[in-house]
Amino acid sequence: MMPMHAMNRDYPETLDEDVEAFKLADELGFEEGWIGEHYSSEIEQISSPLIFLAHIAAQTKNMKLGTGVVSLPIYHPAQLSSHVALLDHLTKGRLILGIGTGGLGSDFEVFDLVEADRTAMMLDSLSIMKTIWASDPPYDVEGKFWKVRLKDMIWPDLGVGPLPKTLQKPHPKLAVSVSSPNSGSIRVAAREDLMPISANFVASWVVKTHWETYCDELTKLGKTPDGANWRVARSIFVAPTDAEAEAYVKTPGGAYDWYYDYMFQVYARMGAAALLAPFADTPPETITHELVRDNFVIYGSPETVAEKILALREEVGPFETLMMTSHDWTDKAVMRRSMELLAKEVMPRVNAALDAEPFELKRAAGA
């Protein structure tokens, strides 16, 4: 969940919807719930995934809670490492820390990061946070963009000096989002031991390059690729019949149609509409939001959606975690039913099919 809400909706209403979606996912047995971070966007209204997850922690019981993602260049590492440690304790060790460089150009402008080397800032921040979590005062951490020093005001008898440590040791699992073809970020993921998350707003042929690039970088490092570390996000809608699902997804102005129209316009204004090409050889001039919508959304009956998920995995590579991207609940009952069908009917079919794979095929896929 980034989340993605239609414009001009009431903020308290959409926040309640986000909370309800998380609680439902936990009740249905979803293994993870992720929330994004955006500031200057009316449709993506969560400015702090840390605050949101702290709020939802006591309202969920089982699923892990992930930041998808926290933009590291925005924060001082000492501040963020302390907030992450607090959240890890509040979630009882259920936190997964997704990190990134940020995703909105308007946010970059707000925080004066347009010309910044945000990838270098992200890696510098991560290194400093890891050092803080692994050490005690005095602190003398000299990074490229930040420094953390605490030498004089340390009073052990009064408990003054130590920065908070995470509950999980040495720290929560780390993840990073990737989107562009042959993404440089996924090479960073391989080098820094981060779990890659392939975005929902890229075509399957792009997702395939993520696995290929990940494997290439890990091979250079002498490491073995493992699909258990890879998450793939998709827009998914399940209905009792294929016809009902298709009609809902293709409803003009509906939750899925509106979102992909929005994404198409965003990319077009950046001069990058070609990045939404459903196929590698799709002529850029033929790309429309309807073409993107129809190729990017996995929709249908439970049987059809299960088949499409298995076909996707066969095409792109052996990801072991499928992330369902949450869309606006224009019809709450229909969207709740879609989540229920996905959990109760689709995924049992998918997992049964994967369990039935020959052992040698599973081993080759990293399962």
Side-chain angles (χ1 to χ4, degrees), residues 237-284:
F237 180 71
V238 193
T241 67
D242 289 344
E244 184 177 347
E246 181 175 11
Y248 192 82
V249 168
K250 295 185 178 182
T251 298
Y256 298 90
D257 179 78
W258 168 83
Y259 170 72
Y260 282 99
D261 186 22
Y262 164 80
M263 291 301 298
F264 179 76
Q265 292 189 51
V266 167
Y267 274 74
R269 293 185 190 190
M270 294 191 302
L275 292 176
L276 295 176
F279 307 98
D281 58 355
T282 302

Side-chain angles (χ1 to χ4, degrees), residues 202-221:
V202 297
S204 57
W205 68 269
V206 175
V207 177
K208 182 179 181 181
T209 71
H210 293 166
W211 179 247
E212 293 169 344
T213 306
Y214 188 56
C215 290
D216 179 67
E217 190 66 22
L218 285 173
T219 299
K220 292 177 180 177
L221 297 169

